[in-house]
Amino acid sequence: MELFTEAWAQAYCRKLNESEAYRKAASTWEGSLALAVRPDPKAGFPKGVAVVLDLWHGACRGAKAVEGEAAVNLADFVIEADLATWQEVLEGRLEPLSALMRGLLELKKGTIAALAPYAQAAQELVKVAREVA
């Protein structure tokens, strides 16, 4: 399944709702998160793309793929990278927290301080995404 498409977003949301580990780790999380890909015409994303997840207390209430900068207006937190970096994260070759610290993943909206209490939930988000990718 092609990454960051509407079908991938829907499958990701379903998988999150099936994950007991995610439900427990994210039980206090409230808000939306976007995983954004920088514009890359060669990869088929001339304007960039993002998957916006509506997350609420360990459940995914909805997900959608959006083009361009729309994710910044739709999500509480936006994490952005180029497609190659996301592929490394989703294939398990790059840990998201270290990628954030090294600047490979960029927090475009929101703060590290606000995300820090949800580090375990973030790890579960990535584990589930790896099952979809």
Side-chain angles (χ1 to χ4, degrees):
M1 183 176 315
E2 202 170 326
L3 293 174
F4 297 95
T5 60
E6 186 64 27
W8 188 83
Q10 297 306 315
Y12 189 16
C13 191
R14 279 192 304 278
K15 286 264 189 201
L16 283 169
N17 286 329
E18 293 167 4
S19 170
E20 187 61 34
Y22 173 72
R23 189 173 6 270
K24 287 178 181 171
S27 64
T28 59
W29 172 270
E30 296 179 357
S32 53
L33 171 69
L35 307 178
V37 177
R38 292 187 184 111
D40 185 346
K42 285 185 243 156
F45 302 122
K47 297 178 183 175
V49 67
V51 168
V52 180
L53 301 165
D54 178 6
L55 305 172
W56 193 259
H57 294 272
C60 179
R61 300 190 298 189
K64 62 183 165 191
V66 297
E67 265 194 350
E69 292 289 311
V72 175
N73 300 320
L74 296 172
D76 301 316
F77 293 91
V78 178
I79 300 172
E80 185 180 78
D82 58 32
L83 184 60
T85 300
W86 279 121
Q87 286 171 324
E88 283 189 50
V89 168
L90 296 175
E91 290 167 7
R93 298 191 323 261
L94 182 63
E95 281 305 312
L97 291 177
S98 73
L100 263 174
M101 298 305 171
R102 291 169 41 205
L104 298 171
L105 291 178
E106 181 186 350
L107 190 58
K108 293 273 288 192
K109 185 176 180 186
T111 65
I112 292 285
L115 279 178
Y118 305 105
Q120 185 61 42
Q123 287 182 318
E124 293 303 326
L125 274 168
V126 172
K127 281 184 189 171
V128 172
R130 288 174 180 161
E131 294 173 20
V132 179

